[in-house]
Amino acid sequence: MCGIIGYIGNDEKKSILLNGLKELEYRGYDSSGISVLSEGELSTFKSVGKLINLERKCEGFHSSGFGLGIGHTRWATHGKPTEVNAHPHFGKFSNVVHNGIIENYHSIKESLQQQGRSFISQTDTEVIVHLFESHLENLKNPFEAFKHTISELKGAYAILLITQKSPDTIYYAKNGSPLIIGRGKDSKDAEAIYFASSDAPLIGLASEVCYLEDGTLGAIKAGGFHTLPNPKLLSGDKLSAQKDGFTFFMEKEIYEQHKVLLETMMGRVSEDNFSLEELSELDLSSVDSITLCACGTSYHAAIAGSYLIERIARLKVKVEIASEFRYRNPILQANELFVVISQSGETADTLEALKLAKRNGLKTLGICNVDNSSIVRESDFSLLTRAGIEKGVASTKAFATQVMVLWILANFIAQKCGILSKAAMKQEIKTMLEAVRATEVDKKAHEHIKRLSRRYLHGHGFFFIGRDIFYPLALEGALKLKEISYLHAEGYPSGEMKHGPIALADLGLFCVALMPQNLLYDKIKSNVEELSARDAMICALSAEYYEGCDDWIAIPKYSHYMVEFFAMMVVLQIFALEVAVRLGNDVDMPRNLAKSVTVE
Ligand code: F6R
């Protein structure tokens, strides 16, 4: 989704803004822009498409010496992705960047137009800068004008505004969209101030950061020493955000899953015990059911979690899609633990579902990959998934770690409730470690999938089928493929085939069948046979050769279905990757998608 960057200091503003935007690229965008205010001059550059277009636009521009700047990557919501609609938006002497949605922009725009102010874009954002200039005309004080402006906005926003009337100040406001202020040193060892909508652009620049709370607004002036409220140290781990020699971030992230899964387990799983310190204050005896709520891939992890928690902890679990949950006036029960799952921690629907549950007095738990994200801050309890920065828009390692956290949680609850014997616990932990090892990518297996992928570039679509916990894995396999290959793919519980979908079975239908040896093998086998009998092209994922298949992707023999689950997860991710690469698609930044969906 949209990204924001801001800077006050002595270094070259253009490069700091452009580098910052590069770090935000992975969130997805369709246009970008920067504004620099230096020596009283306000210079703005915007462009559609990739950042390289913006870089070219401002090639000849330099801004050494003291100044400030704001930048933005836009993912279109109101108005097409055009240069005019790209941020920063400007009035006569001020510029603004904004993430989120201004819900009442129509009425503001109308009243400003009646005052004779003209608009050039189709965006909601443009009203902010005109409203500010209108207030400034009357109030004469930029900060007062900014405060009045913000008080009139309804909706979600993270805003940075600069104006020639106060050329040493950045005005900022935050409500519902993330905004961080960072403090560091510039190359002259003087204080430098940074703004960003996520950590990534601040790594290596800011030594401490402040994650702004909803309802915050302020102004930061250049010069002088600034004390950030509630400052946090920012780690300088930039390397982990790089590609490590892989062509795509997605590939790198698939390959590092075994490492991050171990990180996820660290301190939580020992030889014969599960411990979740983060939940030490949570009274599990008062919990009689769990609701898992999320979007997209995280929703698939939630379904997988529901199988695990019900099976292992014998606790009733309900799974909700966040965007549906929040508008259907759900019935919530006092003894329900409300768990939201999110990689980014900023997904608008998931965040609002969480707030709704809190308003209804439920205990809440956030399972999240980003510390200090809105979801982590809003939840009563949180469990971090520890996947590290995930840059590929198509989620891989985040999904793996979400399932792992849910698996640990299931065992933790079972242990607390006394329904897990020591022996069973030990066995479960052994299985977990084996599952982690199963995610280590075998290069030969990868090569085999790569060769095979060329047979799957045509046809009229894919069914990914599985039973039990392999059903959410089938959903995830189909989502991965459609996100990056743009081929039509659906995930189904295999027992559902004959209730309608089998009508599509013919020579042009590819069916990827998840056939674990350790869970309902015979049942899924007969479902696959039905498809095979109708000429569908079958690609079987299994440890044993299945004679009814057209292609076989062999996974090693394991003795537990969860190990097979993680092994097949990697196969599905690589399969999607290789099909998409053959089709010449941008794997890390697929069309129409954004990494962090901060609008509903
Ligand atoms: C798919 C994908 C999305 C996200 C969804 C929720 O690869 O990444 O479906 O899972 O947008 O995002 P988070 O997990 O950040 O709440």
Side-chain angles (χ1 to χ4, degrees):
M1 204 67 25
C2 305
I4 282 187
I5 182 89
Y7 173 67
I8 307 177
N10 291 295
D11 290 338
E12 169 59 274
K13 267 79 42 211
K14 177 182 83 174
S15 25
I16 288 179
L17 297 175
L18 289 175
N19 288 341
L21 294 182
K22 251 181 228 151
E23 294 295 332
L24 293 168
E25 252 187 321
Y26 70 98
R27 295 163 64 94
Y29 66 99
D30 42 46
S31 54
S32 54
I34 58 167
S35 288
V36 172
L37 180 52
S38 182
E39 292 170 2
E41 282 287 311
L42 194 48
S43 317
T44 301
F45 304 88
K46 305 195 209 186
S47 121
V48 177
K50 302 253 171 206
L51 264 183
I52 182 81
N53 301 342
L54 180 64
E55 280 173 336
R56 286 200 189 112
K57 272 246 164 121
C58 44
E59 228 160 31
F61 172 75
H62 296 287
S63 61
S64 49
F66 174 78
L68 34 99
I70 53 178
H72 190 266
T73 49
R74 173 172 188 256
W75 189 77
T77 52
H78 292 79
K80 286 193 165 23
T82 60
E83 210 166 291
V84 173
N85 286 337
H87 303 211
H89 287 281
F90 42 82
K92 288 191 184 121
F93 43 80
S94 321
N95 283 13
V96 72
V97 291
H98 158 231
N99 282 357
I101 290 177
I102 305 300
E103 285 163 6
N104 58 337
Y105 85 102
H106 267 302
S107 57
I108 299 178
K109 189 168 176 176
E110 265 171 33
S111 79
L112 288 167
Q113 278 169 329
Q114 277 159 19
Q115 289 173 20
R117 293 188 187 266
S118 47
F119 287 74
I120 56 170
S121 80
Q122 302 158 301
T123 65
D124 51 339
T125 302
E126 200 184 353
V127 299
I128 303 170
V129 68
H130 291 302
L131 188 58
F132 169 77
E133 293 194 350
S134 151
H135 282 311
L136 189 57
E137 226 167 71
N138 302 325
L139 298 165
K140 310 291 180 220
N141 174 324
F143 190 43
E144 286 304 314
F146 186 68
K147 281 204 280 197
H148 275 72
T149 303
I150 300 304
S151 69
E152 283 179 48
L153 305 180
K154 291 210 171 79
Y157 48 79
I159 293 170
L160 297 182
L161 183 143
I162 56 177
T163 177
Q164 283 171 305
K165 303 290 177 194
S166 176
D168 55 356
T169 308
I170 292 187
Y171 298 91
Y172 62 90
K174 188 245 185 248
N175 192 42
S177 292
L179 188 60
I180 306 168
I181 306 181
R183 206 168 72 91
K185 293 259 163 80
D186 66 16
S187 55
K188 292 186 180 144
D189 221 24
E191 183 183 56
I193 296 291
Y194 303 88
F195 291 87
S197 47
S198 74
D199 282 346
L202 302 179
I203 295 174
L205 293 176
S207 47
E208 59 174 32
V209 292
C210 158
Y211 299 87
L212 296 178
E213 294 292 334
D214 280 350
T216 314
L217 66 80
I220 289 200
K221 238 186 183 17
F225 182 82
H226 293 92
T227 318
L228 299 183
N230 196 12
K232 301 234 157 46
L233 291 180
L234 189 68
S235 95
D237 189 9
K238 199 151 193 163
L239 251 190
S240 69
Q242 307 298 324
K243 281 189 202 157
D244 278 355
F246 288 97
T247 318
F248 304 102
F249 279 114
M250 182 180 174
E251 189 178 14
K252 170 190 164 262
E253 286 158 6
I254 293 171
Y255 270 71
E256 69 193 19
Q257 288 180 112
H258 64 286
K259 285 194 217 141
V260 296
L261 282 168
L262 283 179
E263 288 275 332
T264 307
M265 291 170 69
M266 201 146 8
R268 293 167 170 167
V269 183
S270 62
E271 212 182 311
D272 59 359
N273 186 46
F274 293 93
S275 92
L276 290 172
E277 233 172 65
E278 302 93 321
L279 306 188
S280 55
E281 307 279 301
L282 173 65
D283 177 13
L284 276 170
S285 64
S286 66
V287 172
D288 59 19
S289 74
I290 291 184
T291 297
L292 300 174
C293 182
C295 301
T297 286
S298 301
Y299 168 69
H300 299 157
I303 308 178
S306 72
Y307 285 92
L308 291 166
I309 297 170
E310 289 207 340
R311 183 163 292 146
I312 299 169
R314 303 308 296 157
L315 202 58
K316 191 166 159 344
V317 183
K318 197 162 59 146
V319 187
E320 298 273 3
I321 292 183
S323 56
E324 286 297 309
F325 173 81
R326 51 183 290 207
Y327 292 114
R328 69 173 168 75
N329 196 9
I331 297 172
L332 301 168
Q333 254 132 29
N335 290 345
E336 192 173 318
L337 174 66
F338 194 81
V339 183
V340 289
I341 305 169
S342 173
Q343 188 285 126
S344 62
E346 304 297 347
T347 301
D349 284 318
T350 312
L351 181 60
E352 288 309 317
L354 170 65
K355 288 181 184 166
L356 177 70
K358 270 184 85 174
R359 278 201 299 279
N360 282 275
L362 297 196
K363 280 263 158 295
T364 57
L365 164 64
I367 296 180
C368 192
N369 195 35
V370 182
D371 196 6
N372 291 309
S373 58
S374 303
I375 284 178
V376 168
R377 282 181 284 126
E378 194 69 33
S379 306
D380 297 319
F381 300 93
S382 60
L383 288 170
L384 291 179
T385 45
R386 305 181 188 162
I389 294 175
E390 188 178 62
K391 286 216 167 193
V393 164
S395 186
T396 51
K397 60 177 181 167
F399 173 75
T401 53
Q402 286 168 345
V403 176
M404 179 55 86
V405 165
L406 287 159
W407 192 7
I408 295 171
L409 180 66
N411 279 287
F412 176 75
I413 298 173
Q415 176 186 296
K416 281 258 166 205
C417 301
I419 58 170
L420 202 61
S421 71
K422 268 270 173 230
M425 211 161 3
K426 271 192 158 174
Q427 187 51 45
E428 194 78 356
I429 291 164
K430 254 178 83 184
T431 306
M432 271 182 187
L433 288 168
E434 203 185 343
V436 173
R437 279 194 296 276
T439 62
E440 237 169 292
V441 183
D442 169 18
K443 287 258 184 203
K444 267 204 194 138
H446 187 155
E447 265 315 300
H448 173 60
I449 300 169
K450 187 172 179 171
R451 279 188 69 76
L452 213 76
S453 62
R454 65 192 160 164
R455 292 159 59 101
Y456 292 89
L457 309 178
H458 60 287
H460 59 71
F462 286 77
F463 280 168
F464 285 69
I465 60 169
R467 274 177 179 263
D468 201 277
I469 195 168
F470 291 83
Y471 158 52
L473 186 60
L475 289 175
E476 179 57 9
L479 180 66
K480 283 297 82 89
L481 186 71
K482 72 181 124 189
E483 280 182 295
I484 58 174
S485 72
Y486 318 142
L487 298 173
H488 183 228
E490 296 304 330
Y492 272 104
S494 60
E496 271 294 293
M497 284 293 105
K498 54 170 110 37
H499 300 289
I502 202 166
L504 293 180
D506 65 10
L507 280 173
L509 180 82
F510 297 125
C511 175
V512 179
L514 310 184
M515 305 177 74
Q517 225 68 50
N518 297 289
L519 196 67
L520 302 169
Y521 182 77
D522 290 333
K523 297 280 175 207
I524 176 135
K525 195 167 150 199
S526 59
N527 300 139
V528 177
E529 264 152 19
E530 289 154 10
L531 282 159
S532 167
R534 284 156 183 89
D535 274 343
M537 169 108 164
I538 309 291
C539 176
L541 270 62
S542 57
E544 227 165 72
Y545 182 70
Y546 160 65
E547 61 287 354
C549 71
D550 299 279
D551 280 321
W552 180 40
I553 303 181
I555 61 155
K557 261 199 184 353
Y558 297 113
S559 53
H560 194 285
Y561 69 89
M562 280 310 286
V563 188
E564 296 184 293
F565 177 97
F566 278 96
M568 286 187 194
M569 175 197 74
V570 175
V571 169
L572 295 177
Q573 293 165 342
I574 293 177
F575 181 77
L577 173 88
E578 292 303 341
V579 170
V581 170
R582 278 194 193 275
L583 292 169
N585 298 343
D586 186 342
V587 170
D588 284 333
M589 275 186 276
R591 71 183 185 201
N592 304 339
L593 296 181
K595 185 67 189 162
S596 171
V597 186
T598 48
V599 288
E600 67 173 308

